[in-house]
Amino acid sequence: MGSLEEQSLLEDGHNNFQSESNGLYTGDGSVDIKGNPVLKRGTGNWRACPFILGNECCERLAYYGIATNLVNYLTKKLHEGNVSAARNVTTWQGTCYLTPLIGAVLADAYWGRYWTIAVFSIIYFFGMCVLTLSAAVPAFVPAECVGSVCPSATTGQYAIFFLGLYLIALGTGGIKPCVSSFGADQFDDTDQKERVKKGSFFNWFYFTINIGALISSSLIVWIQENLGWGIGFGIPALFMGISVASFFSGTSLYRFQKPGGSPLTRICQVLVAAFRKCSLPVPHDCNLLFETSDKFSAIEGSRKLLHTDELKCLDKAAVISDDENKSSDYFNPWKLCTVTQVEELKILLRMFPVWATGIVFSAVYAQMSTMFVEQGTVMDTSIGSFNIPAASLSTFDVISVIVCVIMYDRFLVPIARKLTGKERGFSELQRIGIGLFISILSMFAAALVEIKRLQLARDLGLVDKAVTVPLSIFWQIPQYFLVGASEVFTFIGQLEFFYDQSPDAMRSLSSALNLLTTCLGNYLSSFILTVVTALTTGGGRAGWIPNNLNEGHLDYFFWLLACLSFLNMMIYMVCAKQYKSKKSA
């Protein structure tokens, strides 16, 4: 270990440390796997990222190898209806983005990001193996349909299937909130060159996600539809094993951030301390509020945060009472919190309105694996003698993401940098807003395609027949492309925003909260489907989304999402304008 002065400077994260130690050590408090200050040369930076990006690419290939075509497995193999299958998919996907709260708390409070990723990756791999068995073993799958009679899955068959599915959901809980933050941890915040590279890392991180998704939505989906679901789930399971191996291979190159204790406990301490001192006045001079006299924060792995004037009721938690002054008892955080601890909670509350507007966007994104697929199954999927699986159209979303990431990183950012003077071209909030606008256009495109499809069904007298309409599935390409473009702006913008704006010791939690918008977006989509079905099927009507989509009005559902997205964007613009960035000491 280094000297006390050197450790203080490491945790304080000031640039002058680099000049005193000739730039040998990182200045952001990162350590090696043994907990010692870490040398910049030979660790972190882009040299460590291939192992992290490889892990993420293979894990996303495994995830999308299941998620992309799951709605078809439920309808074709487990014999569920359209609404039930779509609801099960969005509920599972929502759970995949809810469990990250578990992983985030473990990472920030106890295990650190590295060990959290490692443990939950193994759980994930086990879930993939169980899911593969549920599709490969004949006894675990319902019998094939005989004519129009399709036997339902038994309780046992559902049990083994959903056990595998929800073990995967639990596994994602330790990976998703940590892996992007762990990758960003490889770049030293106090080094200007590395800080700029970190902005580029988020773009390429999302790029690798979509490389995995591209393989899944094309090759894996084709294998599932043509060679069988057992091998179609088995290949993603194999890649999940490769993902685990890739992550462990880079251990000696990684930089680690120490866990800072439970962020939820610190939040509760601020609320309890502020309530206890609700009758005490807040001093006009913020320097009279309690803070450590050291150069670094009392929270492990966190730099100090400057006091802000908003939400002054929370400042009461840092007011030093007369009794505490007399007894010099400053060590009970349930009675007295530091300014930095109070500011952590303020930051989370300031981010909340921006966070909330991501829910509707995620509901729109969820349509790619549900309603877009079901729309595609009643369109012409043939090219000559070859039939394209409807789920494979998500390949165009992935292509859109890959193209847009390259265009954004290599061309748009340099141009925007010259115009705005910002290191990253656009601010995170500007980037998110652009993506929200594009998502509205994607719902417009989907609704227009459905209008054309329904019109053709009426013209050909196919309304009462549960058959495909002779309209090429390639009419769906624009809606997939627009969703992909919106992802590059909104999802990557959110990754940057929640990493940069979160307190140092809450970055995994902030990433989990970001992912929670995807969870709630999926649940919102399920809720909207349930309400729409209940309201539109009364009196014997087919409703907007019947099993025979030719007699429904799926276009109305897309218009509804477009309207909700427009309202959401208006609210976002107000929230983004009022947002104030965090200030580190």
Side-chain angles (χ1 to χ4, degrees):
M1 296 292 288
S3 67
L4 180 61
E5 179 184 2
E6 183 179 73
Q7 292 178 50
S8 299
L9 287 166
L10 274 167
E11 296 193 41
D12 189 41
H14 284 89
N15 289 325
N16 61 356
F17 171 78
Q18 295 179 21
S19 61
E20 291 180 23
S21 60
N22 297 319
L24 292 177
Y25 294 94
T26 58
D28 61 354
S30 54
V31 296
D32 62 19
I33 195 169
K34 296 179 180 179
N36 300 319
V38 66
L39 290 167
K40 295 182 72 171
R41 175 178 290 185
T43 65
N45 217 313
W46 282 112
R47 67 179 64 84
C49 289
F51 301 97
I52 298 170
L53 296 178
N55 164 264
E56 180 66 5
C57 180
C58 292
E59 183 273 324
R60 288 291 89 184
L61 186 152
Y63 174 81
Y64 286 114
I66 305 303
T68 302
N69 210 21
L70 184 59
V71 71
N72 277 335
Y73 184 81
L74 289 168
T75 54
K76 294 179 180 179
K77 291 298 179 180
L78 297 186
H79 308 146
E80 294 191 348
N82 283 338
V83 171
S84 176
R87 190 186 298 118
N88 274 328
V89 171
T90 51
T91 300
W92 172 70
Q93 288 180 329
T95 305
C96 287
Y97 290 92
L98 178 63
T99 53
L101 289 173
I102 300 171
V105 171
L106 288 173
D108 281 340
Y110 308 108
W111 294 356
R113 286 185 264 277
Y114 173 84
W115 287 112
T116 303
I117 295 170
V119 170
F120 280 80
S121 291
I122 294 170
I123 295 173
Y124 194 132
F125 177 64
F126 182 69
M128 292 293 302
C129 293
V130 173
L131 188 69
T132 301
L133 287 175
S134 76
V137 177
F140 295 157
V141 185
E144 295 292 333
C145 296
V146 179
S148 60
V149 179
C150 298
S152 299
T154 66
T155 302
Q157 289 167 342
Y158 269 126
I160 189 72
F161 172 74
F162 282 111
L163 173 63
L165 209 57
Y166 279 88
L167 279 174
I168 292 169
L170 178 60
T172 62
I175 299 172
K176 290 304 293 177
C178 299
V179 68
S180 63
S181 296
F182 187 64
D185 287 345
Q186 307 310 309
F187 300 91
D188 186 354
D189 265 341
T190 65
D191 185 309
Q192 184 176 0
K193 291 181 179 179
E194 290 198 19
R195 190 168 62 244
V196 172
K197 290 178 183 177
K198 183 170 66 179
S200 186
F201 166 80
F202 285 112
N203 291 327
W204 293 106
F205 175 80
Y206 207 74
F207 179 89
T208 59
I209 288 175
N210 282 274
I211 291 295
L214 176 62
I215 298 171
S216 292
S217 59
S218 53
L219 179 61
I220 302 300
V221 168
W222 184 88
I223 289 172
Q224 290 167 348
E225 296 280 352
N226 293 276
L227 300 182
W229 292 90
I231 188 172
F233 287 163
I235 293 174
L238 174 64
F239 273 93
M240 189 59 218
I242 296 172
S243 172
V244 176
S246 173
F247 181 73
F248 282 118
S249 297
T251 300
S252 62
L253 298 175
Y254 296 148
R255 298 173 184 173
F256 304 82
Q257 293 289 340
K258 296 179 181 179
S262 172
L264 298 180
T265 299
R266 293 200 301 276
I267 290 171
C268 292
Q269 287 171 342
V270 172
L271 294 174
V272 170
F275 178 76
R276 282 179 164 179
K277 296 180 176 178
C278 60
S279 61
L280 295 181
V282 177
H284 294 294
D285 185 358
C286 65
N287 292 319
L288 297 176
L289 296 173
F290 178 65
E291 183 57 279
T292 60
S293 58
D294 300 323
K295 291 183 177 181
F296 48 89
S297 166
I299 302 167
E300 186 79 36
S302 177
R303 287 164 287 187
K304 283 185 179 180
L305 295 169
L306 295 177
H307 175 263
T308 57
D309 290 330
E310 52 197 9
L311 298 170
K312 288 190 174 182
C313 58
L314 297 177
D315 287 338
K316 292 178 182 290
V319 173
I320 304 173
S321 67
D322 292 337
D323 290 339
E324 288 162 341
N325 259 328
K326 291 176 182 177
S327 63
S328 297
D329 181 14
Y330 306 132
F331 305 106
N332 186 347
W334 293 98
K335 293 182 178 179
L336 181 64
C337 301
T338 64
V339 169
T340 295
Q341 189 173 340
V342 172
E343 289 300 319
E344 281 188 328
L345 178 54
K346 287 186 182 181
I347 287 172
L348 292 182
L349 293 175
R350 283 201 300 269
M351 291 194 298
F352 177 79
V354 176
W355 169 86
T357 56
I359 297 173
V360 173
F361 176 81
S362 294
V364 169
Y365 178 74
Q367 305 316 307
M368 269 207 316
S369 56
T370 52
M371 290 299 107
F372 282 14
V373 176
E374 293 188 359
Q375 182 187 42
T377 58
V378 288
M379 299 176 72
D380 182 10
T381 61
S382 63
I383 303 180
S385 60
F386 182 77
N387 286 320
I388 305 169
S392 288
L393 261 287
S394 62
T395 301
F396 291 99
D397 162 78
V398 177
I399 293 172
S400 173
V401 169
I402 291 171
V403 171
C404 288
V405 163
I406 295 172
M407 295 292 291
Y408 184 91
D409 197 64
R410 297 303 184 195
F411 300 102
L412 191 55
V413 168
I415 294 171
R417 189 180 291 142
K418 291 179 181 179
L419 296 175
T420 64
K422 294 183 173 69
E423 282 183 349
R424 300 179 185 177
F426 297 102
S427 70
E428 295 96 336
L429 294 175
Q430 289 171 334
R431 186 170 185 173
I432 294 170
I434 294 169
L436 294 180
F437 174 73
I438 298 173
S439 72
I440 299 172
L441 302 181
S442 71
M443 289 297 98
F444 268 68
L448 292 174
V449 168
E450 186 62 11
I451 289 172
K452 184 173 181 64
R453 195 191 69 79
L454 290 174
Q455 182 61 53
L456 190 57
R458 286 191 291 269
D459 293 343
L460 298 176
L462 302 176
V463 171
D464 297 326
K465 300 176 182 178
V467 296
T468 60
V469 172
L471 179 68
S472 174
I473 196 172
F474 290 114
W475 279 87
Q476 285 190 309
I477 290 176
Q479 65 204 57
Y480 279 103
F481 257 99
L482 287 167
V483 170
S486 68
E487 287 178 64
V488 170
F489 285 92
T490 295
F491 276 155
I492 302 179
Q494 287 174 336
L495 278 174
E496 291 186 73
F497 176 77
F498 283 98
Y499 183 87
D500 285 347
Q501 293 301 311
S502 67
D504 293 339
M506 286 188 176
R507 279 176 170 160
S508 295
L509 178 62
S510 294
S511 293
L513 291 174
N514 178 28
L515 294 168
L516 186 60
T517 63
T518 305
C519 159
L520 296 178
N522 278 278
Y523 288 161
L524 175 62
S525 178
S526 294
F527 175 75
I528 294 172
L529 279 168
T530 301
V531 171
V532 164
T533 300
L535 294 178
T536 62
T537 55
R541 292 174 295 173
W544 288 4
I545 313 172
N547 288 336
N548 174 17
L549 290 179
N550 292 341
E551 61 180 353
H553 265 294
L554 184 56
D555 54 325
Y556 291 174
F557 180 73
F558 291 139
W559 287 125
L560 174 62
L561 287 178
C563 292
L564 288 174
S565 297
F566 178 78
L567 179 62
N568 182 63
M569 186 182 71
M570 293 295 101
I571 296 172
Y572 171 81
M573 291 172 66
V574 174
C575 296
K577 188 175 181 179
Q578 295 178 346
Y579 182 79
K580 295 180 181 179
S581 297
K582 77 169 184 180
K583 297 179 181 179
S584 297

